[in-house]
Amino acid sequence: MTQIDDIKLSNAQIAWRAAQDIDDGAYVNLGIGFPEMVARYQREGCQAIYHTENGILDFGAPPAPGEEDWDLINAGKKAVTLNPGASFFHHADSFAMVRGGHLDVAILGAYEVAETGDLANWSTGRGGVPAVGGAMDLVHGAKRVAVITDHLTKKGDPKLVSKCSLPLTGVGCVTRVYTSLAVVDIEDGHFVLREKLPAISLDDLQALTGATLHTTDTVGDLIVPEL
């Protein structure tokens, strides 16, 4: 089998690939941590409008080191800047936007994603954040939910599985997963492989996946820049 660590995408490259599918003018919420990187890689000529649960719409790039205004932070407590026309609002209004279906896309991390679209991305276990935060609202309020994640856990177990073993964030909510090895859609309760790294065979990829990868006539090459 191919040595996975030698070929897999970095977190930045996974974030870049996910960013390529965001439409111009889309209202987007990014999960805390790794998903926040997606905002760095907007397509040329494409300007998404980023929302954060603590009450900002249309925040911009991170400030330069030493120029942070710590009254301007996202939900992950990271300093942000503001684009012209950005707005502030109460935390409750922010969640009304989420629950009211006003977000086009939510991009989250994951511990596990099931072939049915179920998502487990929180844990109260050792080292886990002791609350799910806004993720449960996001996965059922956003019009499209995507996940970015490594294909495997740190122990080498599949993150794409037939059934989640961890507490669920949402049921049947995920439609696309961007991993370190592939791009996988969820359709009719199945994983459908859309793109894979050219360096890994379909058989090897399947061996690293905890449920059947269905294919159509064409599986594209997952090509990303060096970042």
Side-chain angles (χ1 to χ4, degrees):
M1 181 178 289
T2 305
Q3 293 297 314
I4 299 305
D5 287 343
D6 294 336
I7 66 166
K8 73 176 186 177
L9 302 183
S10 66
N11 284 356
Q13 289 173 315
I14 301 170
W16 179 91
R17 177 61 188 85
Q20 307 316 296
D21 290 341
I22 297 176
D23 294 331
D24 185 36
Y27 290 87
V28 182
N29 184 286
L30 304 175
I32 292 172
F34 170 24
E36 293 171 336
M37 297 178 71
V38 172
R40 303 178 191 175
Y41 301 113
Q42 296 188 91
R43 291 183 289 117
E44 185 176 354
C46 174
Q47 180 63 58
I49 300 167
Y50 289 104
H51 165 275
T52 178
E53 298 103 294
N54 59 315
I56 305 175
L57 189 66
D58 204 12
F59 63 85
E67 297 182 8
E68 298 91 346
D69 178 348
W70 292 108
D71 286 327
L72 294 177
I73 59 172
N74 63 18
K77 300 181 181 179
K78 295 182 178 65
V80 296
T81 58
L82 300 176
N83 292 322
S87 58
F88 304 95
F89 32 85
H90 191 279
H91 197 78
D93 294 324
S94 180
F95 272 82
M97 292 180 187
V98 175
R99 295 167 182 167
H102 302 290
L103 295 179
D104 296 302
V105 186
I107 300 178
L108 305 171
Y111 290 126
E112 295 175 324
V113 180
E115 61 184 345
T116 54
D118 297 350
L119 171 65
N121 84 331
W122 71 291
S123 172
T124 57
R126 187 173 182 179
V129 177
V132 70
M136 285 184 174
D137 298 277
L138 286 165
V139 297
H140 294 298
K143 296 171 185 174
R144 180 170 75 88
V145 177
V147 162
I148 58 175
T149 182
D150 203 327
H151 204 86
L152 302 173
T153 68
K154 292 179 180 180
K155 295 181 179 179
D157 297 323
K159 285 194 169 188
L160 276 61
V161 295
S162 58
K163 184 177 180 179
C164 293
S165 61
L166 295 169
L168 293 184
T169 307
V171 175
C173 54
V174 179
T175 57
R176 173 164 279 201
V177 185
Y178 303 89
T179 83
S180 50
L181 302 176
V183 177
V184 179
D185 282 340
I186 296 170
E187 296 181 354
D188 300 322
H190 302 294
F191 288 133
V192 180
L193 180 63
R194 299 300 183 196
E195 300 174 12
K196 68 174 183 63
L197 292 179
I200 190 169
S201 70
L202 179 56
D203 287 343
D204 284 353
L205 183 63
Q206 180 62 76
L208 299 171
T209 307
T212 301
L213 288 171
H214 296 259
T215 59
T216 56
D217 292 339
T218 303
V219 175
D221 288 336
L222 177 51
I223 304 296
V224 301
E226 294 291 336
L227 295 172

